[in-house]
Amino acid sequence: MDLHDYAGKSPNALERIKGRIIGEGGKARRMIEELSGASISIYGHTVGFIGNYKEVKLATDAIVLLAKGSMHKTVYNMLQYARRRDKLAKMRLWEDSYEDKVTPSES
C-alpha cells in the first residue's frame, strides 16, 4: 500500500500518517497485528502485509482508516468487532457439524 495516496506530496503529512500507523513505541502497529492476525511492515512510503486474505483485508481497512484520520479507538473497535464476528461464525460452524454427527438423519 502506498501512503502517498493519503499524504500527497507533503513529507510532513507522510511522517504524520506513518506515526499514526506505528503509534507510540509501536503500540498501534502491534494492536493491529494482534487483532487482524496479519504482519505489517512499514518502510519509506509503503506498508506491506503478510497473512491470509481475511487478515490482510482487515489490516488494510484499519490502515486506511488511520491514514484518513480516524481515531485509534474507532479502528480498534472495528478490529475487535470483526474478530468477535469471525469467532462466532467458527463456533456456529463447529456446532452445526457436531450436531450433524451426533443426530443421525432419519430416512
Side-chain angles (χ1 to χ4, degrees), residues 10-22:
S10 169
N12 290 337
L14 181 65
E15 290 300 314
R16 180 180 48 80
I17 290 173
K18 282 173 45 177
R20 288 179 54 77
I21 294 168
I22 296 169

Side-chain angles (χ1 to χ4, degrees), residues 20-75:
R20 288 179 54 77
I21 294 168
I22 296 169
E24 190 173 340
K27 181 181 176 189
R29 175 182 164 207
R30 195 167 41 251
M31 286 290 291
I32 294 171
E33 286 180 335
E34 287 176 12
L35 293 172
S36 69
S39 296
I40 300 172
S41 176
I42 303 155
Y43 184 77
H45 58 87
T46 59
V47 179
F49 304 94
I50 298 175
N52 66 34
Y53 177 77
K54 278 186 173 183
E55 294 169 349
V56 170
K57 176 73 171 122
L58 200 54
T60 304
D61 292 345
I63 299 295
V64 167
L65 286 174
L66 285 176
K68 288 183 176 180
S70 295
M71 295 177 64
H72 286 82
K73 182 177 181 175
T74 304
V75 174

